[in-house]
DNA sequence: CCTTACCTACCTTCTGGTAGGACGGCAGTC
DNA sequence: GACTGCCGTCCTACCAGAAGGTAGGTAAGG
């Protein structure tokens, strides 16, 4: 159960960054082969088909996301701070261009032409992210930390949508700062000055 | 200056719906040929290269969007209503699945792998839409119609991002209603009850 | 000896794109 | 009106390269 070969990880990492750049149809096995320094056929040894590759890629991404959410829950109990950590995580990713887009958000945009197995993973991510955000908002509202204008669920969907849209705008403008410009006030709005617990 | 051949329009319309489904790399000339009932080579007669096709497609889309904004300005002077009309336009498009995604939003997600000429058109749309939204919000704030928590520009970017994200979520969940769930409160928030001019 | 990882060589199908011809309509012009 | 040349539209027939994928082999290592 240790890290067997790193090649398969290299392939996954490479595929991930290629998908972030151009989606499912935006890369080929040949592209990966070039970057990883391996032959096309060797990739098929690790991932028989492109669907296998992308499916396990998204599955792993989901695991990481899930772990990330659990980690936030573990180290920070304040709902408002939790959302801030989430937003700032993406802000950092976009700023240093390490992963300037959520893979699932990108793949979701091409859902109609995606292989079914991949599409299922993508949808699952949306559901799990939305569920977590809903729980955070609900807890925050219960504690009087947030001032919600609609249901926690609706606010969570709006929050998620805005974050995804902010990624898109940052990419469209070619300016990482746009992400912060959009998400900053988003957090402010949920917890107005009057509710801030600044000692 | 009359409508010469309708074939080139058919090609554009078909390409548009194919792009809405799967982006730039999600369709081929063969796909269009099948739908329009023409041979692949004939498409090259109208649009020498794929870049030509998509560039003129996006350029036309931008013209239509520009005309749409002008039309809203012409027939409705209330800023809040203007935004509502914009949001409800998309809500209708998504609900009847006629065009369940903004072409430029979709293409923006694959910007890094897009031909430069297409990318320029896409960016231009973002700028022009953002500029219009900014002007609407600014006017609304000046008239005391909106209650903005940050600059009109920032609010406009947030509004646009949320709408784009809402499209994405509607697609991810396979549920058109999600778009309304997200954008509804968005409008409410800008013009709170206390500012409503309901006689 | 068998498994794992990787290779070369090859296959089929699709990709965007080209060359050149067929056909019809529409000026001219005799 | 008939002939002629041209232009726009669409065709068949190609092409080179890229796509995802397969077959079968080699070398290393427990």
């Amino acid at each position: 159960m240790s890290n067997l070969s790193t090649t398969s990880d290299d392939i996954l990492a490479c595929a991930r960054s290629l998908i972030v750049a151009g989606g499912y149809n935006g890369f080929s096995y040949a592209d990966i082969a070039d970057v990883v320094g391996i032959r096309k056929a060797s990739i098929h040894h690790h991932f028989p088909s492109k669907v296998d590759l992308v499916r396990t890629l998204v599955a792993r991404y989901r695991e990481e996301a899930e772990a990330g959410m659990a980690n936030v829950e573990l180290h920070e109990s304040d709902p408002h701070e939790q959302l801030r950590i989430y937003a700032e995580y993406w802000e950092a990713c976009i700023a240093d261009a390490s992963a300037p887009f959520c893979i699932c958000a990108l793949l979701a945009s091409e859902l109609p032409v995606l292989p079914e197995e991949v599409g299922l993973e993508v949808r699952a991510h949306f559901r799990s992210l939305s569920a977590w955000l809903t729980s955070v908002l609900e807890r925050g509202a219960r504690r009087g930390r947030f001032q919600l204008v609609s249901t926690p669920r609706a606010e969570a969907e709006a929050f998620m949508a805005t974050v995804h849209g902010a990624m898109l705008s940052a990419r469209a403008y070619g300016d990482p700062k746009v992400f912060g410009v959009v998400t900053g006030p988003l957090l402010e709005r949920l917890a107005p000055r009057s509710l801030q617990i600044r000692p």
Side-chain angles (χ1 to χ4, degrees), chain A:
Chain A
M1 201 60 180
S2 60
N3 66 326
L4 292 140
S5 79
T6 181
T7 307
S8 117
D9 293 336
D10 288 352
I11 294 169
L12 284 170
C14 175
R16 186 185 288 211
S17 69
L18 287 170
I19 288 181
V20 165
Y24 187 84
N25 291 308
F27 77 101
S28 74
Y29 268 37
D31 295 329
I32 299 175
D34 283 346
V35 176
V36 177
I38 209 179
R39 294 297 145 139
K40 234 179 42 165
S42 306
I43 304 175
H44 285 282
H45 170 71
H46 297 278
F47 306 96
S49 78
K50 195 179 182 180
V51 176
D52 289 313
L53 171 57
V54 179
R55 185 175 35 72
T56 64
L57 177 83
V58 178
R60 185 165 298 194
Y61 178 81
R62 290 219 301 125
E63 278 171 31
E64 286 172 28
E66 216 90 47
M69 297 179 217
N71 200 43
V72 170
E73 289 287 339
L74 203 66
H75 292 81
E76 175 62 61
S77 60
D78 180 52
H80 184 263
E81 283 301 296
Q82 290 181 333
L83 293 186
R84 207 179 51 77
I85 289 170
Y86 170 73
E88 282 179 2
Y89 163 76
W90 276 112
E91 196 166 352
C93 287
I94 294 169
D96 69 8
S98 60
F101 223 101
C102 167
I103 291 181
C104 289
L106 212 161
L107 289 176
S109 72
E110 7 181 52
L111 251 183
V113 298
L114 237 46
E116 203 182 332
E117 300 170 64
V118 176
L120 288 173
E121 292 286 342
V122 170
R123 289 167 193 273
H125 174 76
F126 269 77
R127 279 196 302 272
S128 102
L129 177 55
S130 157
W132 178 65
L133 292 172
T134 302
S135 78
V136 172
L137 286 164
E138 197 184 13
R139 195 167 353 108
R142 222 166 29 216
R143 292 190 196 172
R145 196 78 181 74
F146 290 141
Q147 196 175 42
L148 307 185
V149 298
S150 53
T151 66
R153 172 72 207 289
E155 290 272 3
E157 294 298 348
F159 184 91
M160 186 173 73
T162 307
V163 168
H164 287 157
M167 290 175 189
L168 196 66
S169 294
R171 173 161 280 188
Y173 291 123
D175 178 11
K177 286 194 296 295
V178 175
F179 184 83
V181 167
V182 170
T183 56
L186 182 63
L187 289 164
E188 292 259 329
R189 183 176 62 76
L190 285 166
R193 275 263 173 284
S194 55
L195 294 180
Q196 303 265 337
I197 318 179
R198 283 275 166 273

